[in-house]
Amino acid sequence: MTEVGDLSVRYGATPALTGVDPPLHRGCITALVDPSGCGKSTFLTCLNRLADHIPGCQVRGRRG
Ligand SMILES: Nc1ncnc2c1ncn2[C@@H]1O[C@H](COP(=O)(O)OP(=O)(O)OP(=O)(O)O)[C@@H](O)[C@H]1O
Ligand SMILES: [Mg+2]
């Protein structure tokens, strides 16, 4: 079951992710496929807490 939900990220005043609810399932492989700039890397930096070290980056929601 997912432990990530309603995830929103802003870089300063600019939103990068808004209310993301990804269908993640324990024990399953998940692929992120989207056009450039849609927020794939941003999403991953939230999961491993790297976003906490990006100046001006604000994360809201559940992220594990
Ligand atoms: N450190 C940052 N500061 C400000 N804006 C950022 C930063 N990192 C990413 N962004 C912006 O956030 C949005 C999402 O970018 P992100 O790099 O997460 O997309 P991506 O899906 O990984 O793109 P790509 O497929 O090119 O790797 C883009 O508009 C990008 O310009
Ligand atoms: Mg990327």
Side-chain angles (χ1 to χ4, degrees):
M1 295 297 292
T2 180
E3 296 177 356
V4 180
D6 197 22
L7 189 66
S8 297
V9 180
R10 304 176 74 89
Y11 293 104
T14 306
L17 296 176
T18 304
V20 171
D21 282 301
L24 303 178
H25 300 280
R26 190 181 304 278
C28 293
I29 296 171
T30 301
L32 299 178
V33 181
D34 252 330
S36 179
C38 277
K40 303 179 295 295
S41 295
T42 296
F43 176 72
L44 293 176
T45 62
C46 293
L47 299 191
N48 62 17
R49 301 279 170 172
L50 283 175
D52 296 350
H53 301 283
I54 300 173
C57 183
Q58 307 158 52
V59 180
R60 297 283 183 273
R62 303 187 306 281
R63 48 174 166 166

